């Protein structure tokens, strides 16, 4: 029998098997042979991943993404020179996802930064799949295969440059136009954004027209987590904020005119890693849970962060106007920045390495809010612009400004302080305090759309204002019962100095915890 030119004789059994093997089965078989299937359990249902070799390195792709579909389609095409149809792609992904979730190992997966305590890994997100390993001894660029962590790269992720040693964070002044205090805070935030410990920082750039707010935000973003379309408008709902956080390490929002109470709470949850929940699409009773802790950058003309809980998590930097003789065309500015970017990244990594080396010995005796960030800045020391001294001055000034902002933003702040200064203390139900504050409105305080309308609303406003009151010397206790006179819950506000010593004595002599001792001492001081 004469064979046709270019044909290959196939054994009958194999030919029969191939004839009955569907395109979908061939795709699944091929993928299983060429990759490792595993899953992660970040939020809600598990997510399936495939790890495969390409160009001498290992890459990871989430199956239920555009990148996952492209990987599977490309693998099948290179092997067969045929294209997978959409139904065959969906069916093959279903089978691979089942294998990854039910038969594959469950492994943690990270976006851009993986903090292992004594070692921190930063994903360069380049085509060679390299990461930077940072330890107390220094930093080095290594293949991702050699790192004990795995990274995923959401859509829009862009590569960082290979860092170069020998740079200085002082050079940030060439690209972010602020004063020495602002530069120290930006440098500390840059180092902090490369870790994942404690609450993340909300960095707020504020300045008038001509201060390069959007440019400063882009500069910061491109030093840590460059992304296509990085600057977003304010999210309209929690779900938008959660999705943004899942798909980026640093989440940036541009040109905010105001921050609603709900959005302020959302930023707080994002900084602390609290969960967002929403109804799962196409179901009636199932929830999808998003949980992520992410650094946030905001920029605005006016200072839009004024609620006490968000202020406690915000590092506020005031930008300065750029005069016409100092302004650069974007065609000049960005090439200069790109040239400096590897050195700036190297300087931030060196500062982080130094902070890890001095972490234990530099722990402050007293820690403010954002304690991990504050500790990191102290440990980074002279690697920050202006050194520790500049950071301490900037931190103290920022804290004072935050307190003043919280008092001014609260509708009850000014009238409450006037009332307390006049009376020296307060001990009465919330209804009586609201009555007196309402009287102060009639005496000339402007109307405010968030003025509390009920005693319960007043209690909520006081609770938010408590840290600012404490900072200006007033101690607040809510829901106190005075059994000698009435069982009604009282609001008690006294001078901190009038009860601090008594509270310390009660802790030592009576063995009370701090909260109980402060409440007892406040009641005594108010009587």
């Amino acid at each position: 029998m004469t064979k046709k030119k270019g044909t290959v004789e196939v054994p009958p059994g194999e030919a029969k098997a191939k004839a009955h093997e569907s395109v979908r089965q061939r795709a699944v078989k091929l993928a299983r042979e060429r990759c490792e299937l595993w899953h992660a359990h970040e939020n809600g249902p598990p997510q399936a991943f495939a790890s495969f070799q390409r160009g001498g390195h290992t890459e990871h792709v989430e199956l239920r993404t555009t990148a996952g579909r492209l990987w599977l389609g490309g693998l099948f095409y290179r092997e067969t020179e045929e294209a997978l149809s959409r139904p065959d792609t969906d069916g093959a992904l279903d089978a691979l996802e089942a294998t990854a979730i039910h038969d594959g190992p469950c492994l943690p997966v990270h976006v851009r930064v993986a903090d292992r305590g004594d070692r921190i890994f930063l994903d360069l997100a380049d085509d060679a799949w390299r990461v930077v390993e940072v330890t107390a001894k220094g930093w080095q660029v290594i293949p991702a295969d050699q790192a004990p962590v795995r990274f995923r790269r959401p859509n829009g992720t862009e590569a960082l440059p290979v860092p170069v040693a020998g740079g200085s964070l002082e050079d940030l002044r060439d690209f972010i136009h602020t004063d020495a205090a602002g530069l120290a805070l930006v440098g500390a935030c840059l180092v902090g954004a490369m870790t994942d410990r404690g609450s993340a920082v909300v960095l707020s750039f504020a300045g008038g027209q001509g201060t390069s707010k959007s440019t400063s935000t882009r500069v910061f973003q491109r030093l840590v987590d460059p992304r296509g379309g990085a600057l977003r408008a304010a999210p309209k709902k929690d779900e938008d904020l959660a999705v943004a956080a899942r798909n980026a390490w640093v989440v940036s929002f541009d040109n905010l005119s105001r921050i609603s109470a709900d959005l302020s709470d959302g930023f707080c949850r994002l900084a602390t890693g609290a969960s967002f929940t929403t109804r799962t699409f196409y179901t009636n009773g199932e929830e999808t849970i998003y949980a992520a802790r992410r650094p946030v950058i905001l920029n605005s003309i006016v200072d839009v962060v004024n609620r006490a809980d968000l202020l406690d998590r915000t590092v506020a930097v005031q930008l300065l106007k750029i005069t016409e003789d100092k302004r650069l065309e974007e065609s000049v500015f960005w090439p200069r920045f790109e040239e400096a970017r590897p050195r700036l990244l190297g300087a931030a990594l060196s500062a982080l390495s130094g902070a890890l080396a001095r972490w234990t010995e530099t722990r402050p005796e007293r820690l403010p809010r954002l304690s991990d960030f504050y500790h990191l800045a102290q440990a980074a020391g002279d690697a920050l612009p202006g050194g520790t001294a500049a950071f301490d001055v900037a931190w103290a000034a920022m804290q004072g400004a935050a307190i003043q902002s919280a008092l001014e933003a609260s509708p009850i702040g000014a009238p409450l302080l006037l009332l307390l200064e006049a009376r020296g203390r307060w001990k009465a139900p919330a209804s009586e305090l609201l009555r007196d504050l309402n009287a102060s409105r009639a005496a000339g305080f402007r109307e405010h759309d968030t003025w509390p309308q009920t005693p319960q609303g007043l209690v909520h406003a006081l609770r938010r204002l408590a840290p600012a009151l404490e900072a200006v010397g007033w101690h607040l206790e809510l829901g106190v019962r005075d059994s000698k006179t009435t069982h009604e819950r009282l609001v008690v506000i006294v001078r901190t100095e009038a009860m601090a010593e008594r509270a310390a004595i009660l802790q030592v002599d009576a063995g009370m915890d701090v909260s109980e001792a402060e409440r007892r001492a406040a009641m005594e001081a108010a009587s």
Side-chain angles (χ1 to χ4, degrees), residues 270-294:
L270 195 57
T272 58
S275 297
F276 298 84
T277 59
T278 184
R279 184 178 66 83
T280 303
F281 290 144
Y282 310 116
T283 67
N284 291 323
E286 190 172 343
E287 279 188 331
T288 296
I289 302 172
Y290 299 91
R293 183 169 56 203
R294 297 287 188 263

Side-chain angles (χ1 to χ4, degrees), residues 188-309:
C189 288
L190 182 59
V191 178
M194 296 179 179
T195 70
D196 186 15
R197 52 188 68 191
S199 294
V201 167
V202 178
L203 172 60
S204 174
F205 287 121
Q209 292 182 346
T211 57
S212 292
K213 298 179 295 297
S214 298
T215 298
S216 298
T217 304
R218 286 192 181 96
V219 164
F220 190 100
Q221 180 101 33
R222 291 191 63 75
L223 286 170
V224 184
D225 185 31
R227 298 185 50 75
L231 301 191
R232 300 173 172 87
K236 292 183 171 28
K237 50 188 178 180
D238 279 353
E239 183 184 349
D240 298 334
L241 190 58
V243 171
R246 189 177 187 275
N247 290 288
W249 173 248
V250 175
V251 186
S252 303
F253 298 97
D254 188 38
N255 199 25
L256 301 185
S257 57
R258 63 183 296 271
I259 296 179
S260 66
D262 288 343
L263 184 55
S264 179
D265 291 342
F267 286 148
C268 288
R269 289 200 298 278
L270 195 57
T272 58
S275 297
F276 298 84
T277 59
T278 184
R279 184 178 66 83
T280 303
F281 290 144
Y282 310 116
T283 67
N284 291 323
E286 190 172 343
E287 279 188 331
T288 296
I289 302 172
Y290 299 91
R293 183 169 56 203
R294 297 287 188 263
V296 178
I297 316 176
L298 317 173
N299 73 63
S300 58
I301 292 178
V302 297
D303 191 358
V304 293
V305 180
N306 48 41
R307 288 172 64 89
D309 47 359

Side-chain angles (χ1 to χ4, degrees), residues 475-477 492 494 499 517-527:
H475 182 81
L476 169 69
E477 292 287 346
V492 176
V494 297
M499 47 77 67
E518 288 182 345
R519 175 162 292 204
R520 176 75 65 82
M523 285 292 289
E524 293 177 5
S527 300

Side-chain angles (χ1 to χ4, degrees), residues 411-419 423 426 429-459 461-462:
I412 64 170
L416 177 62
L417 288 177
L418 281 179
L419 185 150
R423 299 195 180 187
W426 180 271
S431 56
E432 293 186 23
L433 180 57
L434 181 60
R435 182 194 62 202
D436 286 6
L437 290 174
N438 281 334
S440 72
R441 294 179 82 190
F445 282 97
R446 64 184 177 87
E447 295 292 319
H448 201 295
D449 60 359
T450 58
W451 184 273
Q453 302 298 315
T454 64
Q456 184 179 13
L458 176 60
V459 168
L462 287 170

Side-chain angles (χ1 to χ4, degrees), residues 24-338:
R24 185 177 308 179
Q25 289 171 329
R26 289 163 59 197
V28 171
K29 181 180 179 181
L30 181 62
R32 286 172 176 167
E33 291 173 350
R34 301 292 177 84
C35 73
E36 174 197 5
L37 295 168
W38 54 282
H39 67 280
H41 212 145
E42 290 182 292
N43 301 289
Q47 302 91 41
F49 289 83
S51 299
F52 54 91
Q53 288 290 315
R54 176 184 291 171
H57 59 265
T58 302
E59 299 186 12
H60 313 294
V61 65
E62 187 173 356
L63 293 177
R64 289 294 182 186
T65 61
T66 300
R69 299 179 69 89
L70 290 173
W71 163 75
L72 180 61
L75 177 66
F76 189 79
Y77 175 78
R78 286 191 299 272
E79 186 70 20
T80 66
E81 295 188 356
E82 298 177 14
L84 274 176
S85 67
R86 183 176 293 275
D88 284 335
T89 300
D90 291 338
L93 287 174
D94 286 342
L96 294 173
E97 183 179 56
T99 303
I101 292 174
H102 299 293
D103 293 335
C106 182
L107 302 171
V109 66
H110 306 271
V111 175
R112 192 66 79 172
V113 170
D115 192 335
R116 299 287 293 263
D118 60 340
R119 288 194 295 171
I120 295 173
F121 297 90
L122 176 70
D123 183 18
L124 292 180
D126 60 359
D127 291 339
W129 278 75
R130 292 175 293 181
V131 302
V132 182
E133 179 186 28
V134 187
T135 69
K137 296 181 179 180
W139 56 265
Q140 61 177 335
V141 178
I142 62 173
D145 309 56
Q146 297 180 13
V149 295
R150 299 189 181 196
F151 289 99
R152 61 180 177 87
R153 295 178 176 178
N155 186 35
T157 300
E158 295 181 0
L160 284 166
V162 176
V164 173
S168 170
L169 290 179
E170 296 283 354
D171 293 339
L172 284 169
R173 71 176 69 254
D174 295 333
F175 307 104
I176 296 178
H177 200 58
T178 183
D179 57 16
L183 202 66
L185 294 173
V186 171
C189 288
L190 182 59
V191 178
M194 296 179 179
T195 70
D196 186 15
R197 52 188 68 191
S199 294
V201 167
V202 178
L203 172 60
S204 174
F205 287 121
Q209 292 182 346
T211 57
S212 292
K213 298 179 295 297
S214 298
T215 298
S216 298
T217 304
R218 286 192 181 96
V219 164
F220 190 100
Q221 180 101 33
R222 291 191 63 75
L223 286 170
V224 184
D225 185 31
R227 298 185 50 75
L231 301 191
R232 300 173 172 87
K236 292 183 171 28
K237 50 188 178 180
D238 279 353
E239 183 184 349
D240 298 334
L241 190 58
V243 171
R246 189 177 187 275
N247 290 288
W249 173 248
V250 175
V251 186
S252 303
F253 298 97
D254 188 38
N255 199 25
L256 301 185
S257 57
R258 63 183 296 271
I259 296 179
S260 66
D262 288 343
L263 184 55
S264 179
D265 291 342
F267 286 148
C268 288
R269 289 200 298 278
L270 195 57
T272 58
S275 297
F276 298 84
T277 59
T278 184
R279 184 178 66 83
T280 303
F281 290 144
Y282 310 116
T283 67
N284 291 323
E286 190 172 343
E287 279 188 331
T288 296
I289 302 172
Y290 299 91
R293 183 169 56 203
R294 297 287 188 263
V296 178
I297 316 176
L298 317 173
N299 73 63
S300 58
I301 292 178
V302 297
D303 191 358
V304 293
V305 180
N306 48 41
R307 288 172 64 89
D309 47 359
L310 185 56
L311 277 168
D312 279 346
R313 296 170 173 85
T314 298
V315 172
V317 173
Q318 189 70 34
L319 298 176
L320 305 178
K321 186 172 183 178
I322 303 174
T323 58
E324 291 185 359
D325 60 318
K326 299 292 185 182
R327 190 174 298 279
L328 296 175
E329 301 97 327
E330 290 202 20
S331 60
V332 175
F333 177 89
W334 287 113
R336 286 187 183 179
F337 171 71
E338 289 303 319

Side-chain angles (χ1 to χ4, degrees), residues 373-447:
F373 168 74
Y374 182 80
H375 185 183
L376 185 72
Q378 296 297 314
D382 290 340
L384 298 181
T388 307
F391 175 81
D392 288 342
V393 170
W395 182 266
M398 184 189 73
Q399 295 292 91
I403 293 164
Q404 189 64 32
S405 179
L407 290 170
E408 291 175 354
S410 172
I412 64 170
L416 177 62
L417 288 177
L418 281 179
L419 185 150
L420 292 173
E421 291 292 343
R423 299 195 180 187
R425 61 181 181 269
W426 180 271
K427 179 186 174 185
S431 56
E432 293 186 23
L433 180 57
L434 181 60
R435 182 194 62 202
D436 286 6
L437 290 174
N438 281 334
S440 72
R441 294 179 82 190
F445 282 97
R446 64 184 177 87
E447 295 292 319

